[in-house]
Amino acid sequence: MNYNNFSKSILKWYSLNKRDLPWRYKDNSKKDPYKIWISEIMLQQTTVTAVIPYYIKFITKWPNIEKLSNANIDEILDFWSGLGYYRRAKNLHLTSKIINKEYNNIFPKEEDQIKNLPGIGEYTSAAIRAIAFNKDDTVVDSNIERIVARVFQIKEPIIRAKKKIKERAKKLTPNKKNGDYAQALMDIGSMICLPKNPKCNACPILKFCEAKKNSNENIIPIKIKKKVKPVREGYVYWIISSDNKVLLKRRLDKGILPGMLEFPSYGWSTDGNEEIDKKVLSIKDFKRKKGKVSHQFSHFNLLLTVYEKKEFNVNDINGMWVDKKDLSNLGLPTLMKKVFNHINT
């Protein structure tokens, strides 16, 4: 394969077909590493469609590293509600404080400096350096892994072929316009080289693809049957005071949904959060709500049984009492939004 022609074909396609995304720049001289970093963190395990509105609001609220470093972590976590994987938000805040203190609010360029920042691994570091600073780091995300596996017809599951894929991808990486090249591959993976039924006729690198030549484009990457997730069950408590306020608490700054607001819950989390709920468990005469709230986490599925208690005396228990009408304006995580909807059906 002529690697130079491969990257030229991709860059030519990108100049005509690239997606219009709010973190991309028409003028490369105006690239802001801060905004590229924010977008890359948000895009971890989250779709572009879901990220765009969050990104726009985030950048409007915290337009630079200094403002983010001075923000309150609870405000950031509440803003993050709905994006999931809340550790990302905590790491953004921690990293902004480090860059503020150690780098005078200037995002570092060196690979070892970037990798030492919280929440930034090999892929994110490579993406930031390639896109923001046009370094020739090899960027390999899940979309690019799929493209490389098909181009070289790698007949192994991706999980077992990551080293081989990275080696092949490194050979393809150009030493010029690598930021555009990496983003082009991401776009091709999202728009053309799809996991199922790829749109090969629209692909700018069709002539380089060994899987297509051998009619294996729907077989590669080789898939491994996913393990069935375990199911956990627990309880959540909807407690309303006599003046129509709802009891909330903020979870501990660790474990699942770290630092997030929730209706008191019990029985499903093993990270220390449940110690806060002992007073709630002592309340008598709860009414059980029909049905259960289901939610998927990355490593398990959750079923919550909902219990209600109305006309409760707020003096009997400490907590965060919020007007029921204001709940929709709070940064509740998706799981608690489901509980809220379940209560009101």
Side-chain angles (χ1 to χ4, degrees):
M1 180 194 297
N2 187 313
Y3 298 137
N4 190 45
N5 287 343
F6 181 89
S7 59
K8 279 184 177 179
S9 297
I10 286 174
L11 289 168
K12 182 179 179 181
W13 176 89
Y14 185 68
S15 67
L16 300 172
N17 299 283
K18 64 181 175 182
R19 290 178 291 180
D20 184 13
L21 301 175
W23 47 84
R24 288 187 175 170
Y25 292 80
K26 292 182 174 65
D27 184 348
N28 285 339
S29 66
K30 296 182 179 180
K31 285 182 178 179
D32 185 346
Y34 168 74
K35 294 177 180 178
I36 292 167
W37 164 56
I38 297 297
S39 71
E40 286 298 330
I41 299 299
M42 285 189 170
L43 286 165
Q44 291 173 1
Q45 298 175 295
T46 309
T47 65
V48 168
T49 302
V51 163
I52 287 174
Y54 279 91
Y55 171 84
I56 293 171
K57 291 177 184 177
F58 192 100
I59 293 300
T60 301
K61 191 172 184 65
W62 298 293
N64 54 52
I65 288 171
E66 185 175 12
K67 286 190 178 295
L68 184 60
S69 68
N70 291 324
N72 182 286
I73 183 57
D74 289 343
E75 187 179 10
I76 296 171
L77 286 168
D78 292 345
F79 174 92
W80 203 267
S81 169
L83 269 179
Y85 300 96
Y86 295 95
R87 183 63 57 185
R88 296 180 297 172
K90 287 174 58 63
N91 285 332
L92 278 176
H93 191 235
L94 286 171
T95 293
S96 69
K97 286 186 170 296
I98 292 170
I99 297 176
N100 172 266
K101 182 179 179 180
E102 297 184 12
Y103 299 102
N104 196 28
N105 293 316
I106 298 173
F107 205 97
K109 292 183 180 182
E110 299 305 317
E111 183 179 9
D112 59 341
Q113 294 174 329
I114 296 175
K115 281 185 178 180
N116 283 331
L117 296 170
I120 298 182
E122 185 173 349
Y123 161 75
T124 305
S125 170
I128 292 169
R129 279 172 48 83
I131 298 169
F133 304 117
N134 205 33
K135 302 294 185 181
D136 62 355
D137 295 42
T138 300
V139 181
V140 182
D141 68 355
S142 57
N143 280 321
I144 296 174
E145 283 179 334
R146 185 169 60 255
I147 293 170
V148 173
R150 284 174 173 159
V151 166
F152 290 97
Q153 194 172 211
I154 296 174
K155 295 182 178 180
E156 297 173 67
I158 284 177
I159 192 69
R160 297 173 189 163
K162 286 186 176 290
K163 184 178 179 181
K164 185 183 294 185
I165 288 172
K166 183 67 179 287
E167 290 171 351
R168 301 290 195 279
K170 191 170 184 178
K171 291 180 179 179
L172 297 172
T173 301
N175 54 21
K176 293 182 180 179
K177 294 188 175 181
N178 188 34
D180 285 352
Y181 170 81
Q183 291 176 100
L185 284 178
M186 294 173 192
D187 282 4
I188 291 169
S190 295
M191 299 160 61
I192 297 172
C193 195
L194 306 173
K196 294 180 180 178
N197 301 316
K199 302 175 182 178
C200 296
N201 291 336
C203 184
I205 49 175
L206 177 63
K207 63 183 179 181
F208 301 100
C209 185
E210 291 297 319
K212 179 61 178 177
K213 288 177 184 176
N214 293 284
S215 301
N216 286 328
E217 68 274 14
N218 281 309
I219 298 173
I220 294 175
I222 303 295
K223 297 171 182 62
I224 296 179
K225 189 175 181 180
K226 291 184 178 180
K227 293 182 180 179
V228 177
K229 291 182 184 179
V231 176
R232 295 186 193 176
E233 295 209 32
Y235 315 96
V236 63
Y237 302 93
W238 174 261
I239 302 171
I240 303 181
S241 68
S242 54
D243 57 351
N244 215 33
K245 291 185 177 180
V246 181
L247 179 63
L248 289 171
K249 74 179 185 69
R250 192 172 289 280
R251 292 176 65 84
L252 298 180
D253 191 24
K254 63 178 182 178
I256 301 169
L257 305 179
M260 299 302 296
L261 290 171
E262 71 164 1
F263 308 114
S265 66
Y266 187 77
W268 64 277
S269 177
T270 58
D271 49 26
N273 279 283
E274 295 177 346
E275 291 298 315
I276 301 171
D277 298 329
K278 286 182 177 179
K279 287 185 178 180
V280 173
L281 293 175
S282 67
I283 299 171
K284 298 179 180 179
D285 303 321
F286 273 108
K287 179 182 178 182
R288 180 175 175 174
K289 176 79 173 176
K290 289 183 178 180
K292 294 185 179 183
V293 175
S294 64
H295 187 73
Q296 292 188 2
F297 286 99
S298 58
H299 296 98
F300 67 93
N301 295 327
L302 176 63
L303 291 174
L304 286 181
T305 300
V306 181
Y307 288 92
E308 300 177 74
K309 179 71 173 181
K310 297 181 179 179
E311 299 294 319
F312 189 75
N313 187 342
V314 298
N315 295 321
D316 290 346
I317 191 168
N318 294 322
M320 186 185 301
W321 292 94
V322 178
D323 283 333
K324 183 179 176 182
K325 61 181 176 61
D326 293 332
L327 285 175
S328 59
N329 298 322
L330 295 178
L332 294 176
T334 301
L335 171 58
M336 294 302 142
K337 289 177 182 177
K338 289 182 178 180
V339 172
F340 179 71
N341 291 335
H342 184 72
I343 283 289
N344 290 283
T345 54

